[in-house]
Amino acid sequence: MDHKLTVAVKEFAYTLGADLVGIAPVSRYENAPVKMSPQGILPGAKSVVVCAIHHPDAAIELDGEVHPQIMGPYSIQYIMNTKLDFLSFKIGRMLEDLGYPTVPIASSNIWRYRGYRDLEAVFAPDVSHIYGGVCAGLGELGWNGLCITPEYGARNRFVSIITEAELEPTPMYSGKKLCDMCGECIRKCPTDAYRKEVNGTKDVVIENKHHVFANKNLWRCAWGEHFDLDLDLPIPDQVDEQVLLDHVKQHGIRHGEFGVCLKVCLPKHLRQPDPDYCKISVRRKRHTIPSDLPVHSAVYDTVLSIAGKNTLDHVHFISQKTLEEQGIPMKEHLPDGVGAILLTDHIKLPCQADDAKAFRETHIMEWNTMSRTVRVNLTIAELDICRELEKIGYSALPKTYLKHDALQKLCHETTENNAILYSALILTSAPLEDRHVLDVSHSDARGNLKERLTRAAKEAGADLVGFASAFAIDEIAEQLREIRKEETIVFATDKNPRMMAFDPVISMRKRNIFKATDILPDAKSVLVLGLHYPETPIKRLGKPPAEAVGPYVFSQYETNMLLSHMGYDICKTLQSWGYDAFLSHNLTGAGSVVGSPRGYFADGSCNTLEAVAAGLGTLTLNGSVSTEKYGIHQRFIAIVTNAELEPDISTPVLNSVCMDCKQCLSICPTRALQENNLTTIQINGTSIPYLPVDINRCDWASKYALVRDEGNKFGGNDTDIPCPDVITPENLAEALKQQDHVLKFRPVIGEPCIVVCPLNGT
């Protein structure tokens, strides 16, 4: 066992924001179904790192009181998944960078709904994080099937990282029994899932310890939890997938559901009844009780540090006196509240206010990335600040129903002509003073600009940093306009919500190719950042015994997510130094997107010509970039700026392996890569081979998930519609109507052209 590495891993996890960390040896998973086991995913696995983040107590105790489908503060759980994904990816990268094959697992959203081959379980994740919490010694299973910890009860969400590193195991939990069969989950379940259609009990045995819990019908449990059906509808005595789909078709959907089994579940030693505060559940006793002293100065600094790490602009601490003077009814939302924290950020558009709408519509992918990144940054900061306040005994309520308008006005939060304001609000029992701190993420611009940006990008997490002139990118765009001038994209959207048949709306669009100067008319430079992702998920994709595709999908969408945050960080840095900057996952527009359970993300051909122009690597036939260190296993984001930065010019070539290999051409299930389309393109004055992908054929498989061999077969999706010779609005619409109703919005795409590529770097 490597004690030193174990300590380093735990320390890193806590630094990233974990509340609990445990290590499980794979032997504790010996009774797990092989297709849901660490050793099934990674046969050489020796350890599983399990991390937990706890739900802010006030969100659990005060939300869902009116109705389990009326949620505000409880929606913080969605960003908890984002935070856990970040932990999983970062810890996975840490271990793999140290030489240990490692598979980070997604926190949620990747399941085999109906089981798979010999796996009979429904709603089956790659591995169960809940059971993982038990295997890692963090708690035990309650009657409700949730992992209850002695610190937080059931108010936790977990994530797992599977590794070949032999880490020191955390002892199994051996304290007082945490579930005393109080019966609250049974009595208060809105679907009666613990009394109806319960098929006895399940017994999970870990190191000879039995964990017995209700063997409930998960389809009944999914009524509001996954299918968003109205809980006020009469629920049949027998519920299965078809019943759920029939009800969705007849009644539509309402909203997701507050997990009432989680809301009411606390072990006896943590229960603190307070019916004046919350009626459905009890309050959690905390390890720390605050004194009547003023708030410690370190609390303000901690909040500012969290805001700065999330690239926010302003932080406003607002006292009880000020709130009362302004007539802001805080105690209606947080009964013990005496202070508030308003967090704000502004997206600065590279255009005048009159042109903002047109700019956002023209550059919709970039705009969506920027706005999503800001919202995630704000909500991550909101979550982390709440958790820090709770650690020192204060109540903290995120995602409050209280409108922000009055507080924005109070704090003089206005927008410039070309900026859009976003905010987050935390109510707290901490007796805060009035303090207003502006420009919390501003940095000094002294020194060599290019060196400062390179350092800032590395600090933000980039593995690769390159610079191109805006002129070089514009030259590439001019050539792409000629090469792809005949290209028309068949584009589909779905009128129906999830869990209903795809109701396609089809349009035809000419391919738009953009110059850097189309985004910033005075653009001078393009900064390209690359992020390497763990490679073991690629090597294990679809391989027995687990045949998992989820870890690969997770590594790709998380890479795109982290690139968005790095790019936004650099944009804000440049803007704080007086320059304009805007980010793009697909700057010239030559790439496309891949479908995933977390929405679309940029495919492997996005920003690759830009990366070659920035001197980061060589072009490959599948449209990727091969770098000396990582092969093709990285993705890129580009930042356009009017800062003049010396370009990193190299002589680009097509990777020499490609012309002899060509596996990507033969493996593509829709023949989207065809050698007869091979042409040339000039980058930095050198002509290199360039193979444009047939976007409609690629989208058929990777965007619309219509081909099983693109990876969906490993997730249990049987939709398999051959790609026609010519894709038309009619045949695409007809194919989409045949898509699986449940799995249409959670495709798991394996991108075989990347998976088979032998270019692995050093």
Side-chain angles (χ1 to χ4, degrees):
M1 304 297 175
D2 193 329
H3 176 74
K4 188 174 181 180
L5 179 58
T6 303
V7 171
V9 168
K10 286 188 173 183
E11 182 179 23
F12 185 50
Y14 286 125
T15 300
L16 294 173
D19 290 315
L20 300 169
V21 185
I23 309 293
V26 292
S27 59
R28 291 180 184 168
Y29 292 82
E30 64 180 349
N31 295 320
V34 69
K35 284 189 169 55
M36 291 176 64
S37 68
Q39 53 271 45
I41 292 172
L42 182 61
K46 293 182 174 65
S47 308
V48 181
V49 182
V50 181
C51 302
I53 294 176
H54 86 87
H55 297 76
D57 290 313
I60 299 297
E61 292 160 3
L62 296 172
D63 206 11
E65 296 279 287
V66 175
H67 192 281
Q69 287 177 299
I70 299 175
M71 295 186 295
Y74 179 68
S75 63
I76 197 72
Q77 70 155 342
Y78 299 118
I79 209 69
M80 290 171 69
N81 287 338
T82 301
K83 180 85 175 179
L84 288 165
D85 283 345
F86 174 76
L87 284 163
S88 182
F89 185 94
K90 285 288 190 177
I91 295 168
R93 265 289 310 266
M94 172 198 179
L95 288 164
E96 190 146 294
D97 288 350
L98 291 171
Y100 301 101
T102 299
V103 178
I105 304 296
S107 62
S108 188
N109 291 92
I110 295 176
W111 303 302
R112 284 163 167 162
Y113 270 87
R114 307 179 186 98
Y116 175 74
R117 296 195 179 181
D118 57 335
L119 178 66
E120 296 180 357
V122 297
F123 297 94
D126 290 319
V127 294
S128 170
H129 301 313
I130 292 173
Y131 298 171
V134 180
C135 291
L138 300 180
E140 63 183 16
L141 292 175
W143 182 251
N144 51 21
L146 301 177
C147 179
I148 303 173
T149 67
E151 295 85 2
Y152 305 110
R155 299 174 183 180
N156 316 273
R157 295 185 79 83
F158 301 89
V159 78
S160 308
I161 304 99
I162 304 166
T163 180
E164 290 189 7
E166 193 166 5
L167 303 175
E168 193 172 275
T170 304
M172 291 290 291
Y173 174 76
S174 59
K176 291 182 178 179
K177 188 168 176 58
L178 298 174
C179 177
D180 62 350
M181 289 300 295
C182 69
E184 283 293 278
C185 60
I186 299 170
R187 287 187 289 274
K188 292 181 178 172
C189 175
T191 63
D192 224 0
Y194 298 101
R195 286 189 281 212
K196 293 184 177 180
E197 298 190 273
V198 178
N199 185 18
T201 59
K202 283 187 177 181
D203 186 3
V204 173
V205 182
I206 305 169
E207 289 191 349
N208 298 319
K209 183 177 179 179
H210 293 259
H211 296 263
V212 179
F213 57 99
N215 186 17
K216 60 185 178 181
N217 175 10
L218 293 179
W219 294 111
R220 173 174 286 275
C221 187
W223 183 277
E225 178 74 13
H226 299 301
F227 283 74
D228 293 359
L229 280 163
D230 194 334
L231 290 167
D232 293 333
L233 290 170
I235 301 177
D237 290 335
Q238 292 185 327
V239 179
D240 58 20
E241 181 184 9
Q242 193 57 52
V243 167
L244 292 166
L245 291 173
D246 289 345
H247 276 72
V248 169
K249 184 176 181 180
Q250 182 178 355
H251 301 284
I253 62 175
R254 176 175 178 177
H255 199 281
E257 174 190 354
F258 194 123
V260 178
C261 54
L262 180 152
K263 179 178 174 68
V264 300
C265 182
L266 281 174
K268 192 172 183 179
H269 70 274
L270 294 181
R271 294 175 199 153
Q272 183 178 320
D274 189 350
D276 292 332
Y277 188 90
C278 52
K279 296 179 176 59
I280 295 175
S281 64
V282 295
R283 301 187 71 181
R284 179 179 72 92
K285 289 182 182 178
R286 301 196 186 113
H287 288 76
T288 303
I289 300 174
S291 69
D292 58 357
L293 295 173
V295 172
H296 197 293
S297 60
V299 174
Y300 295 97
D301 290 338
T302 298
V303 171
L304 294 176
S305 174
I306 292 170
K309 287 176 182 176
N310 287 282
T311 328
L312 306 186
D313 287 334
H314 306 155
V315 178
H316 303 278
F317 302 93
I318 309 166
S319 69
Q320 181 179 14
K321 180 183 176 185
T322 299
L323 291 164
E324 289 175 348
E325 287 175 351
Q326 297 297 317
I328 295 171
M330 180 179 56
K331 288 188 180 295
E332 293 180 11
H333 302 270
L334 181 67
D336 58 346
V338 295
I341 302 172
L342 182 71
L343 311 170
T344 63
D345 198 10
H346 305 73
I347 295 181
K348 186 179 179 182
L349 296 173
C351 61
Q352 296 303 310
D354 293 344
D355 302 322
K357 182 178 179 182
F359 181 89
R360 294 200 302 269
E361 290 175 349
T362 301
H363 303 285
I364 188 167
M365 186 174 177
E366 289 83 359
W367 167 249
N368 287 342
T369 297
M370 291 279 272
S371 59
R372 182 182 65 246
T373 302
V374 170
R375 290 194 298 270
V376 169
N377 284 347
L378 280 164
T379 316
I380 287 282
E382 193 175 8
L383 170 67
D384 286 350
I385 290 167
C386 284
R387 290 165 51 240
E388 289 298 322
L389 290 170
E390 283 191 353
K391 285 178 184 177
I392 51 179
Y394 296 115
S395 298
L397 185 69
K399 310 295 284 184
T400 170
Y401 293 103
L402 182 63
K403 300 293 185 184
H404 298 190
D405 308 41
L407 289 162
Q408 290 174 359
K409 183 177 180 181
L410 169 66
C411 298
H412 306 290
E413 281 290 350
T414 57
T415 57
E416 302 172 13
N417 288 336
N418 61 341
I420 298 172
L421 171 66
Y422 292 81
S423 62
L425 178 63
I426 299 157
L427 305 181
T428 178
S429 64
L432 301 169
E433 299 174 355
D434 288 309
R435 298 187 186 185
H436 303 276
V437 185
L438 309 182
D439 301 325
V440 294
S441 56
H442 178 81
S443 60
D444 196 332
R446 286 179 293 183
N448 181 282
L449 184 59
K450 183 176 175 181
E451 290 177 359
R452 291 296 306 272
L453 282 172
T454 300
R455 186 161 59 250
K458 295 283 187 177
E459 289 172 355
D463 295 310
L464 301 163
V465 183
F467 297 82
S469 70
F471 175 77
I473 302 303
D474 285 0
E475 277 195 325
I476 291 170
E478 288 284 8
Q479 296 171 78
L480 288 172
R481 286 175 177 174
E482 179 63 26
I483 292 169
R484 312 192 79 150
K485 63 184 178 183
E486 302 299 328
E487 190 173 20
T488 299
I489 301 171
V490 186
F491 186 85
T493 57
D494 188 1
K495 288 195 293 186
N496 273 342
R498 58 199 184 101
M499 307 301 184
M500 294 181 68
F502 204 114
D503 187 3
V505 176
I506 309 290
S507 59
M508 303 282 282
R509 301 181 182 182
K510 294 292 284 185
R511 164 79 76 176
N512 283 324
I513 298 295
F514 296 103
K515 299 179 180 180
T517 48
D518 290 331
I519 294 178
L520 282 179
D522 60 343
K524 293 183 174 64
S525 308
V526 175
L527 171 60
V528 182
L529 310 182
L531 179 63
H532 172 56
Y533 45 81
E535 294 180 29
T536 307
I538 299 174
K539 297 172 183 176
R540 292 297 305 155
L541 191 153
K543 299 288 178 63
E547 301 178 58
V549 64
Y552 172 80
V553 176
F554 165 57
S555 70
Q556 300 307 308
Y557 74 60
E558 186 64 14
T559 299
N560 272 263
M561 172 75 79
L562 293 176
L563 281 168
S564 298
H565 290 269
M566 292 174 203
Y568 185 69
D569 191 304
I570 297 304
C571 284
K572 297 286 283 193
T573 298
L574 283 162
Q575 289 167 1
S576 74
W577 295 347
Y579 299 101
D580 286 332
F582 205 69
L583 63 79
S584 176
H585 277 285
N586 187 20
L587 177 54
T588 59
S592 187
V593 296
V594 178
S596 87
R598 293 285 172 86
Y600 294 132
F601 61 79
D603 72 8
S605 68
C606 287
N607 280 339
T608 53
L609 296 172
E610 294 85 335
V612 173
L616 293 179
T618 59
L619 196 64
T620 64
L621 279 180
N622 64 12
S624 301
V625 168
S626 179
T627 64
E628 183 178 352
K629 189 171 184 180
Y630 304 118
I632 66 163
H633 298 138
Q634 64 270 304
R635 302 216 177 199
F636 302 97
I637 196 160
I639 298 101
V640 183
T641 179
N642 56 1
E644 191 148 7
L645 304 164
E646 182 182 355
D648 296 323
I649 297 177
S650 63
T651 302
V653 295
L654 181 75
N655 194 282
S656 58
V657 173
C658 280
M659 297 312 292
D660 294 328
C661 174
K662 300 181 184 176
Q663 287 188 64
C664 56
L665 277 64
S666 59
I667 196 70
C668 179
T670 60
R671 295 180 292 109
L673 293 168
Q674 298 185 31
E675 193 171 359
N676 61 354
N677 290 329
L678 190 66
T679 183
T680 59
I681 192 166
Q682 282 208 343
I683 301 178
N684 294 334
T686 301
S687 181
I688 61 171
Y690 170 60
L691 181 59
V693 65
D694 184 322
I695 186 62
N696 291 320
R697 305 190 75 80
C698 187
D699 283 354
W700 186 276
S702 61
K703 181 179 180 180
Y704 300 120
L706 293 170
V707 180
R708 291 181 74 246
D709 285 344
E710 193 77 1
N712 271 304
K713 62 184 178 184
F714 300 119
N717 189 343
D718 290 327
T719 302
D720 193 27
I721 303 168
C723 184
D725 291 336
V726 178
I727 297 173
T728 66
E730 293 75 21
N731 58 32
L732 178 59
E734 185 58 34
L736 288 169
K737 290 175 184 177
Q738 300 173 59
Q739 180 59 281
D740 187 292
H741 296 189
V742 174
L743 297 173
K744 68 172 186 177
F745 77 107
R746 283 192 174 142
V748 281
I749 303 301
E751 295 178 286
C753 60
I754 291 175
V755 173
V756 300
C757 182
L759 295 170
N760 293 316
T762 58

